[in-house]
Amino acid sequence: MGSTMSQTVAPENGKTQHNEQSQTPKGAMKARVDVKHPNLTMLGLYLGAFLGMLSETAMNIALPDLSKSFGIGPGTAQWMVVGYMLVIGIVLPFTSLLLKWVPAKPLLLFALAMFFIGSLVSGFAPTSMFIVLLVGRMIQGISTGLVLPMMFAVILEVFPLNKIGAAMGMAGLVVMFAPAIGPTLSGALIGAFSWRAIFFFFAIIAALAFVAAAIWMVNAYALTRPKIDLISCIASILGFGGLVLGVSLISDLGFTWQVILILVIGVLAVAFYSYRQLHMANPIIDLHALGIRQFTVGALIVMMNFGITLATMYLMPQELQNGMGVKVAMTGLVMLPGGVVNALVSMLSGRLFDVVGPKWLVRGGLVLSMIGVILLMLAGPTTSIAYIIFAHVVLMIGIPMAMNPAQSSALASLPQHLSTDGSTILNTMQQVLGAVITAVATILLAAGQASSHTGGKAMAFVTGSRWGFIFALALAVVAFVVSFGMARQTKSDDASKR
């Protein structure tokens, strides 16, 4: 991308505008799409992404209640998580292509409507029909698969380059705070009402997001309508869907031949899909974004950091309840201070990125994440609640401190024609990795419990959790090593060269 660039926009009045992007005397650059209030433009996307990420962890606490209400075993109840992630894994890789065929605003409104409908279907599901509950949950997955990459892609269009860090900080707040607050909110709603209240809460927020998007969202992209390759579409569904389904089933079925077959099909399909995208004139996802070093390094750090989040958010509520005897509602309250700190750091780290760049923020955040995970590893059945809260707060400082600058650095390094593809790649990698991380954490939890022969069930669960925390620590170490490949310049410096 050169120092000036023209972007065609189709706004609400149907007229075409051309916004020249040029460098200001202070080194900042105008937004590619000129909107009066970019934060209002993003509001529907922020709320939709918040819902999607919130529901990933809110459902974990609800699974025991769902098992009792529907008379099903834990393995069947786990499909509320597996089915959701499966749909996300299938839908998400197509978002970049859809944005080239469908205007952004109608696509977002469709996505938010799907979450609203899915929430009501699950909320009103009769206890004699688990399939109805599951179908509603999978409909929600359609929305999350569309909204997450759209949020990061649209940020690059409606915010000036010198404010992208702050905007990414807000997006990071959505992505990181939602799963952190999920257990707290879920525990409170179940304690006060029932599991149905979770879905009705989702429906209310989805309705608000729909209204916000209908009022303020704009069509931020010119439609190019490239040719759709059916073979790539099939390979994408088999590949990403197979990987997510396969790794999600490991914790329930183990490495049976059926699970191994699903994984093999998934891996081969992804390999074929990737090769085909790199050799097509109009790929579904342009994987050439991975040839940009700053994007690839940032993407790897984001993946590892997201893995730390999912692993610890999966293990902590269970350890508190089963290893330390903490009640469900109290478990949510224990995790609340960390969630609040996460929100504050998410906003602050985005603004700091605009000033100092990503390198030292990312490394400092990863060091704090390591310390937080180590503190959690040292906890036992008799450890005080205050200690757990402190360890969680340290972790919740480190994760967003590294996540937001790494993500901003990765996406800001891309030329405009790769921005939607880069966002889709990043989010697809995160969701596939999320399924892998959850499966590995579950396997390690069970293996650790089996290895413990003293101290009773509580100590066995703590031991299993420690095995999972060691895995999270390994992810932090890998991310820290990768961070030394980050470019020295700040985002603004990098943008001025494009």
Side-chain angles (χ1 to χ4, degrees):
M1 182 171 66
S3 60
T4 61
M5 174 184 60
S6 176
Q7 167 68 37
T8 302
V9 187
E12 300 314 300
N13 58 16
K15 295 180 181 180
T16 300
Q17 298 179 358
H18 293 277
N19 177 34
E20 294 297 327
Q21 184 182 33
S22 59
Q23 195 169 356
T24 69
K26 295 183 179 181
M29 299 180 77
K30 294 181 181 179
R32 295 169 178 166
V33 178
D34 188 15
V35 295
K36 189 173 182 180
H37 301 290
N39 282 310
L40 288 177
T41 300
M42 294 297 303
L43 184 56
L45 283 164
Y46 286 152
L47 289 172
F50 176 82
L51 273 175
M53 299 306 297
L54 177 72
S55 63
E56 287 202 3
T57 55
M59 201 52 55
N60 290 336
I61 283 185
L63 291 181
D65 284 78
L66 293 176
S67 296
K68 293 177 183 177
S69 295
F70 286 85
I72 56 178
T76 302
Q78 190 68 21
W79 273 96
M80 290 294 288
V81 177
V82 175
Y84 181 70
M85 297 185 73
L86 175 62
V87 173
I88 294 174
I90 291 173
V91 171
L92 208 153
F94 291 101
T95 305
S96 178
L97 177 64
L98 287 171
L99 284 172
K100 297 169 185 175
W101 272 89
V102 183
K105 182 172 181 175
L107 187 61
L108 175 59
L109 291 175
F110 168 79
L112 295 174
M114 287 298 97
F115 209 103
F116 178 78
I117 293 170
S119 298
L120 291 182
V121 170
S122 292
F124 286 112
T127 53
S128 60
M129 298 182 68
F130 174 73
I131 187 64
V132 175
L133 180 75
L134 179 59
V135 167
R137 180 67 170 155
M138 295 176 77
I139 293 174
Q140 289 179 327
I142 297 172
S143 174
T144 303
L146 292 171
V147 169
L148 283 177
M150 283 182 68
M151 177 176 66
F152 292 107
V154 174
I155 281 176
L156 297 177
E157 306 302 315
V158 301
F159 284 94
L161 282 170
N162 66 312
K163 294 184 179 180
I164 283 179
M168 287 294 179
M170 179 60 71
L173 166 63
V174 170
V175 172
M176 302 301 295
F177 180 62
I181 202 68
T184 302
L185 179 63
S186 181
L189 289 173
I190 292 174
F193 304 102
S194 73
W195 59 266
R196 294 184 188 273
I198 299 174
F199 293 102
F200 295 143
F201 174 81
F202 288 163
I204 293 171
I205 302 301
L208 293 175
F210 186 92
V211 172
I215 296 173
W216 291 299
M217 182 63 181
V218 299
N219 296 318
Y221 296 94
L223 303 181
T224 58
R225 293 189 171 89
K227 181 181 178 181
I228 298 177
D229 180 47
L230 183 60
I231 295 177
S232 292
C233 292
I234 295 173
S236 176
I237 294 171
L238 291 176
F240 296 110
L243 283 178
V244 172
L245 179 61
V247 298
S248 298
L249 290 175
I250 291 174
S251 59
D252 186 36
L253 302 178
F255 285 98
T256 62
W257 71 266
Q258 295 96 331
V259 173
I260 294 175
L261 178 62
I262 293 172
L263 287 172
V264 170
I265 292 174
V267 170
L268 292 176
V270 167
F272 172 75
Y273 173 83
S274 300
Y275 177 84
R276 191 169 180 85
Q277 302 316 294
L278 289 170
H279 294 82
M280 290 177 61
N282 296 301
I284 291 180
I285 302 179
D286 194 340
L287 297 181
H288 288 95
L290 294 171
I292 299 174
R293 179 183 175 186
Q294 186 79 342
F295 175 78
T296 302
V297 170
L300 288 173
I301 294 172
V302 167
M303 287 176 62
M304 297 298 105
N305 218 19
F306 188 65
I308 298 168
T309 304
L310 287 184
T312 53
M313 291 302 99
Y314 174 77
L315 294 168
M316 272 193 67
Q318 297 190 73
E319 183 180 29
L320 284 167
Q321 293 178 68
N322 299 317
M324 301 176 65
V326 179
K327 300 296 183 182
V328 173
M330 181 57 69
T331 296
L333 292 176
V334 169
M335 301 182 73
L336 181 58
V340 173
V341 169
N342 182 299
L344 296 174
V345 176
S346 292
M347 291 186 289
L348 180 62
S349 63
R351 297 186 182 278
L352 288 175
F353 168 77
D354 286 328
V355 178
V356 302
K359 186 171 64 171
W360 295 110
L361 286 172
V362 169
R363 292 178 190 172
L366 290 170
V367 169
L368 287 175
S369 295
M370 288 185 238
I371 294 173
V373 173
I374 291 172
L375 290 173
L376 290 173
M377 286 169 52
L378 297 176
T382 59
T383 299
S384 69
I385 294 297
Y387 175 93
I388 297 295
I389 292 175
F390 174 74
H392 186 224
V393 166
V394 172
L395 182 63
M396 289 295 101
I397 294 173
I399 288 176
M401 185 175 170
M403 174 71 85
N404 298 335
Q407 190 156 258
S408 300
S409 173
L411 293 176
S413 69
L414 296 175
Q416 186 190 13
H417 72 278
L418 289 176
S419 62
T420 58
D421 296 287
S423 178
T424 302
I425 291 169
L426 206 58
N427 284 279
T428 301
M429 291 167 67
Q430 281 185 235
Q431 291 302 318
V432 172
L433 179 73
V436 175
I437 295 299
T438 302
V440 172
T442 303
I443 293 169
L444 291 173
L445 179 63
Q449 287 179 270
S451 71
S452 179
H453 303 292
T454 59
K457 292 183 178 180
M459 189 61 215
F461 209 95
V462 169
T463 301
S465 298
R466 285 175 179 169
W467 284 36
F469 288 134
I470 290 173
F471 175 55
L473 179 62
L475 293 175
V477 172
V478 170
F480 184 77
V481 172
V482 172
S483 72
F484 284 89
M486 299 193 78
R488 293 176 179 240
Q489 66 263 32
T490 66
K491 172 192 64 59
S492 296
D493 294 335
D494 180 66
S496 67
K497 294 178 182 178
R498 291 186 287 142

